[in-house]
Amino acid sequence: MEEKEKIATPDELQEYFINMGPQHPSTHGVLRLLVSLKGEMVQSVQPHVGYIHSGIEKMCESITYPQIIHLTDRMDYLSAHINNEAVCLNVEKALEVDIPDRIKVIRTIMSELTRIQSHQLWWASFGMDLGGLTCFFYGLRDREKVLDIFEETCGGRMIVSYSCPGGLMYDIHPNFQKRVKDFIKYFRKILPEYDQLLSGNVIFHERSKGIGKLTKEDAISFGITGPSGRASGFSCDVRKHEPYSAYDRVHFNEVLLTEGDTFSRYIARIEEMRESMNIIEQLIDNIPEGPFTVKMKPVIKLPEGEYYQRVETARGELGVFVISDGNKNPYRVKFRSPNFCNLSVLDHISRGFKIADLVAIGGSLDLIIPDIDR
Amino acid sequence: MRSIINYLKEIIFGVWSLLKGMKVTGSYFFRPSTIVTQKYPSNRKDLVMFDRFKGEVVMPHNEKNEHKCTGCGICELNCPNGTIEIISKTIITEDGKKKKAIDKHIYRLSMCTFCGLCVKTCPSNALAFSQKFEHAVFNRALLIKTLNKPGSQLMKGVE
Ligand code: SF4
Ligand code: SF4
């Protein structure tokens, strides 16, 4: 007589590990997740970071302040301009230079454009992670329009290096305002398509609603910032709480949601794109006249001391901490990168969900790996 | 009864949401020009890059084979990663004085991060970015370039 094969009940299942990454399409870079599973259920997730550690903080110690800018492009490459701005603001704060309004307004517009293109790419890849390949094409097509604006004014598409201590590298291109306005008009028309394609899609709802819930308390204690934190109701927008550049003169809403699941993190980002467009519309028609750069000493030396500046990148709060000993090189530079903190919560919120949900949760945190490893 | 109605509702909503998405994708079938970004490389001949595009660092020469580089070395100093190397020589000017001048302005394209600091800080505007972006070569040594052309001289009037 044949022996009947016994099916194990969930309690008897053995725990086993699989490696997700370092080369896995859903990690968007070289991140290795050591996932412990029981059946299909995630027991724990251990992120192993450092595969593309580039030593940016250490490198900063041997170069001058204007040279640091181009390295920060390469941390969170989708928020390149905002990273540049963070270092510039820090240097300007330390030297107590007054920055003309024109520079502030242009920087703010560029930051918001950066945020839009970052969220567009995130939308594209998040859709692709969950099986909607069409999203990827549409998202990248629209992002191309922003990249063209960058390319025309800054000369770079992703790696812009547009800010420098004391202002901007070049003035805006004569076409800049027209192009931005055209883009806003175009994108306002396109954004409802995003909703029709993905936000309202039933398969997407099933895969994201109620998945990876993060409470407000946990968001605060893990230090989750950016849209991921705000989706849990944690009011953490640096643009609101500690306005820099021209954010104190524009009106916009901080997108605050309460659910804290994958779906609300998604909605938070979609809504942020709308808010960013509002900010740009308020500024684009009244860019003040004036110089695009302030005369700085040829060799910038910060006075001895410690300086900290926070900005809101597309993924959360970026802090730049500089210790200067009065030389032309900083003594120590520390970047508080949003992605590193956002990654830390992955284990906490994905326990008890299926491994397929891990892809959705990871995608909704919008991790950029070079920013984690720095 | 309730649950059945809800179940049916869900199905109808689900199909409806899928149809809505299909409408978007379907509509692009009839206007394909709005979905295409660039037809590279088939548009290679008439592809115009933006004039500020940072392709590679070049040193513009005029028709008399003269450039503006004085060999001061500021670009070398400002470059964050040692991409630029200035090799200077001593020349004797017409009135018999000894003067430092540029022999070779070496630029390693493979190391350049396109930060733009060299172009921005050059005191005599001797450098510029070209719009060339097709840099692939079969030999790494070809990426080490000498920016000043052979036999070129300093433009008159540039100190
Ligand atoms: S290119 Fe400009 S900065 Fe560099 S050595 Fe020549 S003159 Fe000086
Ligand atoms: S663009 Fe930057 S990295 Fe490239 S040669 Fe100039 S200073 Fe060096």
Side-chain angles (χ1 to χ4, degrees), chain A residues 126 152-153 235 259 267 328 338 342 369 371:
Chain A
F126 187 50
E152 194 172 38
T153 288
S235 165
E259 298 289 308
I267 292 294
K328 66 182 195 325
N342 290 4
I369 315 305
D371 196 32

Side-chain angles (χ1 to χ4, degrees), chain A residues 252-272:
Chain A
F252 66 103
N253 299 325
E254 184 179 4
V255 181
L256 275 180
L257 300 166
T258 46
E259 298 289 308
D261 57 355
T262 301
F263 188 67
S264 58
R265 283 193 282 276
Y266 170 89
I267 292 294
R269 289 202 170 83
I270 295 280
E271 287 305 318
E272 267 202 3

Side-chain angles (χ1 to χ4, degrees), chain B residues 57 78-81 83-84 107 111-118 129:
Chain B
V57 177
N78 271 306
C79 179
N81 42 30
T83 303
I84 293 177
Y107 168 67
M111 282 163 70
C112 181
T113 48
F114 303 103
C115 63
L117 285 176
C118 52
F129 277 112

Side-chain angles (χ1 to χ4, degrees), chain A residues 67 70 74 134 138 141 148 151-155 160 168-173 179 193 196-197 200-202, chain B residues 14 17-18 21 24-25 28 31 34-35 49-54 77-80 113 115-117 120:
Chain A
Q67 292 174 341
H70 89 290
R74 279 137 181 107
T134 323
Y138 291 1
R141 171 201 59 181
D148 277 350
E151 192 181 335
E152 194 172 38
T153 288
C154 323
V160 288
L168 307 165
M169 291 290 267
Y170 337 92
D171 205 352
I172 49 170
H173 196 274
R179 257 184 199 274
E193 274 185 13
Q196 286 164 17
L197 265 178
N201 186 301
V202 65
Chain B
S17 79
L18 293 182
V24 175
T25 48
Y28 278 111
R31 41 189 179 115
T34 51
I35 194 82
M49 302 299 286
F50 292 113
D51 49 358
R52 286 189 191 172
F53 179 72
K54 296 182 203 161
L77 210 70
N78 271 306
C79 179
T113 48
C115 63
L117 285 176
K120 192 178 152 81

Side-chain angles (χ1 to χ4, degrees), chain B residues 59 68-75 86 102 105 122-124 126-127:
Chain B
M59 187 181 286
K68 291 192 207 154
C69 175
T70 55
C72 65
I74 287 181
C75 54
I86 308 283
I102 184 111
H105 188 295
C122 173
S124 47
L127 298 176

